[in-house]
Amino acid sequence: MKNTILEVRSLAKSFGKVKVFEDISFSLDKGSVMALIGASGSGKTTLLRCLNFLEIPDRGQILVNGECLYDVEDFSTHHERDIRHKRLHFGLVFQNFNLFPQYTALRNVTLACELLATEDPDYRMNRSRIISDINSRARNLLDQVGLSDKLESYPHQLSGGQQQRVAIARALAMNPDILCFDEPTSALDPELTGEVLKVIKGLADMHTTMLIVTHEMSFARDVADNVIFMDSGSIVEQGPPSQVISNPKEARTRQFLDRYLE
């Protein structure tokens, strides 16, 4: 039986008079992968940023595991600490890695976890054990993404693909309900793209719940359980990749794919 983990209801976002997206509604099941495709400027990245509360929607609702994280009616009363905790439901992997250049790969993965741990009332009493556990998990995650030999390397010593894999490990370290990717291979040379996609496919095989903005159509077709095609701030078509990518119903979807796959 399917278990819905994320529900987005009639979400809308504008910047001034510029409408980015409107009336976006979809659901995501636990352990499944959803791909968001569409031309640049269609609202995909802003949608991810709204889900992660890096931008605040104008209206609509965001629910995770049945809990309403955002509703315009009451969200204005939430404080920054509340918003930080809402973000913990989501892990976001950016296009351009966004690693801290002054820290090693291992430290990039552990830093946010340690900062969060300081909010635990028992942190001072159990600091040594907590830090040890965080470091052990970070090492395991870096091993999982194939970087066990790069723990003490700094970002400038890593390739783009390796930096992105550190970013994936960092997002996983926070134990998010949903892992979000914003075009995770767009900043990579073609020869490095495969190593990152391989890691993401491995996560999909482990039934990690993921929402992926991507221009890699073959990857979306092979890995995603469902695909959403967005255009001009609206969902034009959504369904399994066998429909949306291989046999789209909507003319606008066909037009996009014909141009993109030429």
Side-chain angles (χ1 to χ4, degrees):
M1 183 177 178
K2 296 293 186 180
N3 180 15
T4 299
I5 191 170
L6 171 66
E7 291 182 79
V8 176
R9 300 175 179 172
S10 302
L11 212 63
K13 178 64 180 178
S14 297
F15 293 112
K17 296 182 179 180
V18 178
K19 182 180 70 176
V20 182
F21 58 78
E22 188 170 21
D23 198 27
I24 298 295
S25 298
F26 65 89
S27 61
L28 178 64
D29 291 329
K30 185 177 179 63
S32 68
V33 178
M34 177 173 284
L36 298 177
I37 64 171
S40 297
S42 58
K44 307 182 303 297
T45 292
T46 302
L47 174 58
L48 283 193
R49 290 178 64 84
C50 285
L51 293 178
N52 284 269
F53 297 102
L54 297 176
E55 303 287 351
I56 304 302
D58 299 326
R59 61 183 178 275
Q61 291 182 318
I62 300 170
L63 296 89
V64 175
N65 290 319
E67 175 190 357
C68 188
L69 302 186
Y70 172 81
D71 189 319
V72 68
E73 297 300 326
D74 66 0
F75 195 79
S76 60
T77 63
H78 287 238
H79 300 293
E80 178 60 29
R81 189 169 185 271
D82 296 325
I83 295 174
R84 287 203 309 271
H85 279 273
K86 291 175 185 295
R87 287 186 184 129
L88 294 177
H89 291 282
F90 300 89
L92 179 57
V93 179
F94 298 89
Q95 294 181 33
N96 295 312
F97 326 137
N98 287 12
L99 300 181
F100 294 107
Q102 71 272 35
Y103 295 136
T104 65
L106 181 64
R107 185 61 176 152
N108 264 280
V109 177
T110 62
L111 182 60
C113 296
E114 289 187 19
L115 291 174
L116 182 64
T118 61
E119 298 182 8
D120 188 327
D122 298 326
Y123 175 74
R124 289 192 177 185
M125 183 178 300
N126 299 301
R127 182 180 182 280
S128 179
R129 177 186 59 77
I130 291 172
I131 296 299
S132 177
D133 289 346
I134 289 172
N135 274 276
S136 177
R137 174 163 168 74
R139 290 173 184 272
N140 288 336
L141 287 170
L142 286 167
D143 180 55
Q144 181 180 330
V145 299
L147 294 175
S148 58
D149 59 336
K150 301 293 184 181
L151 301 181
E152 301 304 322
S153 297
Y154 290 86
H156 75 274
Q157 298 171 316
L158 302 173
S159 70
Q162 290 170 335
Q163 290 185 60
Q164 191 62 297
R165 284 185 279 156
V166 173
I168 293 171
R170 177 178 62 183
L172 288 169
M174 302 300 289
N175 291 312
D177 293 301
I178 302 154
L179 189 58
C180 302
F181 292 87
D182 184 14
E183 297 183 22
T185 61
S186 65
L188 301 178
D189 294 333
E191 65 220 35
L192 300 177
T193 295
E195 65 187 51
V196 173
L197 295 181
K198 182 179 178 181
V199 169
I200 298 174
K201 187 179 186 307
L203 293 172
D205 291 341
M206 296 169 62
H207 304 292
T208 304
T209 308
M210 292 186 283
L211 188 58
I212 306 173
V213 171
T214 183
H215 289 306
E216 300 283 343
M217 295 301 126
S218 59
F219 177 74
R221 183 175 54 220
D222 294 341
V223 173
D225 298 290
N226 287 284
V227 177
I228 286 178
F229 170 60
M230 291 182 64
D231 184 60
S232 301
S234 298
I235 293 178
V236 175
E237 188 166 356
Q238 60 180 308
S242 59
Q243 172 201 315
V244 178
I245 296 177
S246 301
N247 189 30
K249 296 179 179 178
E250 302 296 328
R252 181 65 189 96
T253 312
R254 291 194 297 271
Q255 183 184 39
F256 167 77
L257 290 169
D258 287 344
R259 288 182 177 178
Y260 201 85
L261 297 174
E262 285 179 344

